[in-house]
Amino acid sequence: MSDDKPSVLFVCVHNAGRSQMAAGWLRHLAGDTVEVRSAGSAPAETINPAAVEAMREVGIDITDQTPRLLAYDTVEASDVVITMGCGDICPAFPGKRYEDWQLDDPAGKGVEAVRPIRDAIRTRVETLLADLLPTTP
């Protein structure tokens, strides 16, 4: 990891649901102690409205985020890369920490179906954060 704060990149295909919720959770839980990025291999036009609503229910606003195309330099600049169903599209760099989170894709689902995905992401983000910043209470 870099000398300053660790950086985490969340990647999914559309960068409209899972990766945006994960980035929202990490920003919420870590504050400015971790640099948070998200991207997609085939970004959607907008964020999934059910993901926005599910996050709003827990007090996290992700409406200011926009789906972004995964760029080579974004991966290169990140310490930890969390993939969520982007498969072999994600570039791999030696020395990076990679995790693949198997999560249902919220695309086309209502908020009732997105809530369990949101909650599963929170649990994984909390575990990741405890590992990245072990002194965090």
Side-chain angles (χ1 to χ4, degrees):
M1 281 186 242
S2 56
D3 295 331
D4 45 342
K5 58 187 173 183
S7 60
V8 177
L9 170 64
F10 295 103
V11 182
C12 66
V13 176
H14 300 298
N15 190 221
R18 294 167 289 188
S19 56
Q20 294 287 0
M21 288 191 288
W25 275 122
L26 187 54
R27 283 185 193 101
H28 177 75
L29 296 169
D32 63 358
T33 61
V34 176
E35 187 174 346
V36 182
R37 303 176 175 117
S38 72
S41 53
E45 296 277 320
T46 59
I47 294 185
N48 179 334
V52 169
E53 180 58 29
M55 294 301 283
R56 183 179 291 124
E57 290 176 353
V58 294
I60 300 172
D61 182 4
I62 60 172
T63 57
D64 63 338
Q65 301 300 308
T66 55
R68 298 180 190 279
L69 180 63
L70 178 63
Y72 182 91
D73 59 340
T74 305
V75 177
E76 190 174 33
S78 300
D79 297 311
V80 180
V81 180
I82 308 289
T83 58
M84 303 173 194
C86 80
D88 296 332
I89 302 294
C90 298
F93 288 89
K96 302 290 178 197
R97 174 176 163 185
Y98 287 89
E99 290 184 24
D100 185 46
W101 292 358
Q102 298 294 317
L103 296 158
D104 290 338
D105 187 347
K109 296 184 169 132
V111 70
E112 302 79 22
V114 175
R115 285 182 189 121
I117 301 168
R118 171 200 68 201
D119 296 344
I121 290 171
R122 178 185 181 142
T123 300
R124 290 172 190 231
V125 166
E126 287 172 338
T127 301
L128 173 69
L129 189 55
D131 189 46
L132 287 176
L133 305 171
T135 58
T136 303

